[in-house]
Amino acid sequence: MTVSKKVAVILLVSSVGIGSLYLFQFSRQYFIQPPNAENNLIAIAPYRVIPTLPSVTFSQTPYDMSVLLISYHMPGHTLQSELLNFLSNEFPNGPQMTKLQRGKSLYRKRNHPKNTKCAQIVFRLGTLSVQNSPDLFCSPEILAKMFLEGGAYHGPSPVDKGTKIIHLVQNPFSLSVSNYHHLAEKRLKGNFWTKHQNPCHVCYGKKDDGDNFADLVIPTLFKQRMFPILHQIVSRQEFDRIADTCHSIFQKNEVLKKSSFHQHLLQLEWAEGLRLATAQLIIQGYENGGDILRMANNIVKLKETEATVKSSTRYKEINKILQVYTMSLDDFIEQPGTTFKKLLDHIFDHIPEQLEQHKIEVSAKFEREIRENKTERLRMLQDREILGVEQKIFLREDPIFGPPLKQIELLVAAALQNSATLGTAIPEITERSSFSSEIKVPNDICC
């Protein structure tokens, strides 16, 4: 069916809690495609609306790919805002945020439809989009179709060259300690989620009849083949032991029998509070937890999807690519200018080199902004890195939390090394651990 007049399309997009309705108006030609069509594995709303004309151009030179930035938890979301502002303001010819999105997550974080097991991420050619803590539990084939064909523009067009994904990850020990300090702050006000959520709840939905988070992530992490020497990253037994530890702490103390998660973190000794907060960040898949296992799952899923696209004859024929570039939040904190330059090199690696000087200047500006006019949250992140050394060592030596977190730490290091070999990273490839020593990544850890 063809509609040659102004069309209003309503999409449901949510970033926190209840969704928000966004009204999209287009004044070009469209065709409406039913969700059961052969080339549409993922139903977006009840119908997808796909423009048949080229995407929006920016200044004289259009950006011919889509860019998606994925981040996790509070530290990643904080940095994400800084990155989006700089990219949009300093590169008007590059990918741009849409006025309707304005840096908000494309789909509700930590959520997915039961039929697909994947967040429905929809974006347009030439745009810079963000997705916080996405659920990517479906097959690589469905993910490839979503990233390269599921958006509101993507299709077999010589203008559209594919999608670049910036995957912003963090060392799991650093993430655990930062999470604990953030949630244990006394100044948290209002109906903050720590005051009413159960940190040990492992099922999707408020009742226990939803999917168990372990059933969604463990198959990928226990049997993955993309990083050969890390075959069994996290087992179901390790997940269950962490869940048992969580239940042994939460509301078991007589004084805290009816207390909230937040009250536990305020009143428990830091060792027990850290274990409780870290358990929540590992096993609570629904609501606000689970980002450590979600991040690990997505590292593997994105790697599998990238390999699927590379081996696909169909995507070669229509000249579309998927590039996944993994970056470390810790590197942005320690070397903001240098790391931001690597980000720009990846986003604009297919653009002529006359941008090189501008990229250098913008990276220097980004460094000054972070170091001289540092936002309060980014300053707190650095402070937590200094204060949390003892707590990271404690987690590393903990018999319940240490083994799976060390494996995920190696997985993060492997993903960073794999991205570094693309040609935009430092000559010697190492991943900094959560304290002063370095983790050397074996040469054969990636395939």
Side-chain angles (χ1 to χ4, degrees):
M1 178 175 68
T2 302
V3 183
S4 57
K5 60 181 180 179
K6 185 173 285 189
V7 179
V9 186
I10 298 179
L11 299 179
L12 183 64
V13 181
S14 174
S15 58
V16 179
I18 300 175
S20 303
L21 280 178
Y22 290 150
L23 183 63
F24 289 78
Q25 289 193 341
F26 302 105
S27 56
R28 299 178 179 176
Q29 284 199 338
Y30 297 83
F31 64 91
I32 298 178
Q33 181 176 339
N36 295 326
E38 182 177 286
N39 62 344
N40 182 27
L41 296 180
I42 302 175
I44 310 294
Y47 295 96
R48 292 171 60 217
V49 177
I50 308 175
T52 57
L53 297 181
S55 179
V56 178
T57 60
F58 306 99
S59 191
Q60 289 86 22
T61 308
Y63 188 82
D64 54 9
M65 299 187 75
S66 302
V67 178
L68 177 66
L69 195 155
I70 295 176
S71 67
Y72 302 89
H73 216 261
M74 188 277 297
H77 305 343
T78 299
L79 177 62
Q80 176 182 274
S81 299
E82 302 287 334
L83 298 177
L84 290 173
N85 289 334
F86 264 80
L87 283 169
S88 295
N89 294 337
E90 300 293 340
F91 292 90
N93 290 344
Q96 297 290 303
M97 290 183 288
T98 64
K99 291 181 180 179
L100 290 168
Q101 189 191 357
R102 293 180 181 175
K104 295 181 180 179
S105 192
L106 287 170
Y107 188 79
R108 182 178 177 180
K109 56 188 174 183
R110 308 180 186 98
N111 211 294
H112 61 269
K114 286 187 176 181
N115 61 328
T116 65
K117 305 297 184 187
C118 269
Q120 295 176 338
I121 303 173
V122 184
F123 44 82
R124 294 188 67 197
L125 173 64
T127 58
L128 174 64
S129 304
V130 299
Q131 178 60 52
N132 301 332
S133 305
D135 284 355
L136 304 181
F137 306 136
C138 55
S139 70
E141 291 75 19
I142 292 180
L143 276 174
K145 195 165 185 67
M146 180 172 70
F147 289 138
L148 296 180
E149 301 177 66
Y153 172 73
H154 282 303
S157 164
V159 178
D160 184 357
K161 295 184 178 178
T163 299
K164 296 188 178 192
I165 296 177
I166 311 297
H167 196 198
L168 190 61
V169 300
Q170 189 175 11
N171 181 291
F173 291 100
S174 296
L175 184 56
S176 298
V177 171
S178 177
N179 173 64
Y180 168 66
H181 282 283
H182 172 59
L183 298 183
E185 290 175 359
K186 293 182 180 180
R187 63 182 187 149
L188 295 177
K189 299 178 182 179
N191 190 30
F192 196 71
W193 65 266
T194 53
K195 298 181 179 180
H196 59 82
Q197 287 185 15
N198 182 344
C200 310
H201 186 68
V202 298
C203 295
Y204 272 77
K206 294 183 179 180
K207 299 181 180 180
D208 292 332
D209 56 354
D211 290 335
N212 189 306
F213 186 48
D215 295 334
L216 296 171
V217 296
I218 297 303
T220 296
L221 296 176
F222 192 69
K223 300 178 181 179
Q224 67 86 27
R225 296 288 189 272
M226 302 311 296
F227 304 91
I229 70 169
L230 293 175
H231 175 42
Q232 299 178 354
I233 297 173
V234 180
S235 69
R236 182 59 185 262
Q237 290 73 24
E238 288 174 318
F239 183 98
D240 290 341
R241 283 197 291 267
I242 294 172
D244 291 341
T245 300
C246 187
H247 286 293
S248 72
I249 300 173
F250 186 61
Q251 295 183 338
K252 296 303 180 184
N253 186 312
E254 280 299 322
V255 179
L256 298 172
K257 199 73 173 178
K258 297 183 179 180
S259 298
S260 67
F261 179 32
H262 187 222
Q263 286 298 319
H264 279 68
L265 299 182
L266 291 178
Q267 297 185 41
L268 288 172
E269 293 293 328
W270 71 259
E272 285 298 271
L274 177 61
R275 296 178 91 224
L276 181 61
T278 303
Q280 181 268 342
L281 197 58
I282 294 175
I283 64 169
Q284 190 204 44
Y286 182 69
E287 298 182 316
N288 290 83
D291 272 7
I292 287 181
L293 289 188
R294 183 174 285 102
M295 176 183 71
N297 172 86
N298 292 351
I299 287 174
V300 176
K301 284 291 185 179
L302 290 173
K303 179 71 174 174
E304 290 175 344
T305 305
E306 191 176 32
T308 297
V309 172
K310 285 181 180 178
S311 62
S312 168
T313 304
R314 180 172 178 275
Y315 289 125
K316 289 178 182 177
E317 289 175 350
I318 61 177
N319 195 30
K320 295 181 73 169
I321 62 172
L322 175 68
Q323 292 181 344
V324 179
Y325 190 57
T326 308
M327 303 196 75
S328 168
L329 174 69
D330 306 293
D331 289 343
F332 273 103
I333 294 173
E334 295 172 9
Q335 297 179 310
T338 302
T339 310
F340 188 69
K341 173 62 165 55
K342 295 173 186 176
L343 172 65
L344 296 178
D345 286 341
H346 176 64
I347 291 177
F348 297 105
D349 64 353
H350 63 300
I351 305 294
E353 291 189 0
Q354 60 258 34
L355 281 177
E356 185 64 23
Q357 186 58 37
H358 186 51
K359 288 190 291 184
I360 293 172
E361 293 170 356
V362 172
S363 300
K365 182 179 178 181
F366 182 80
E367 173 104 15
R368 289 194 301 271
E369 287 287 327
I370 296 299
R371 297 199 182 280
E372 298 174 10
N373 304 311
K374 199 177 303 174
T375 65
E376 181 181 0
R377 285 190 175 183
L378 288 176
R379 188 186 301 276
M380 285 193 299
L381 291 180
Q382 287 188 323
D383 291 342
R384 289 169 189 166
E385 285 293 305
I386 297 171
L387 294 173
V389 172
E390 181 183 0
Q391 293 163 339
K392 293 172 190 174
I393 296 175
F394 171 81
L395 280 178
R396 188 177 290 276
E397 296 176 349
D398 188 284
I400 301 297
F401 294 93
L405 289 178
K406 288 176 186 176
Q407 286 292 96
I408 295 172
E409 182 181 47
L410 284 172
L411 175 65
V412 169
L416 291 168
Q417 176 178 356
N418 186 263
S419 287
T421 59
L422 294 176
T424 60
I426 54 178
E428 181 181 3
I429 302 165
T430 60
E431 162 61 8
R432 295 172 186 261
S433 74
S434 51
F435 50 96
S436 58
S437 64
E438 291 184 335
I439 300 172
K440 299 290 183 179
V441 184
N443 291 330
D444 61 347
I445 201 168
C446 300
C447 60

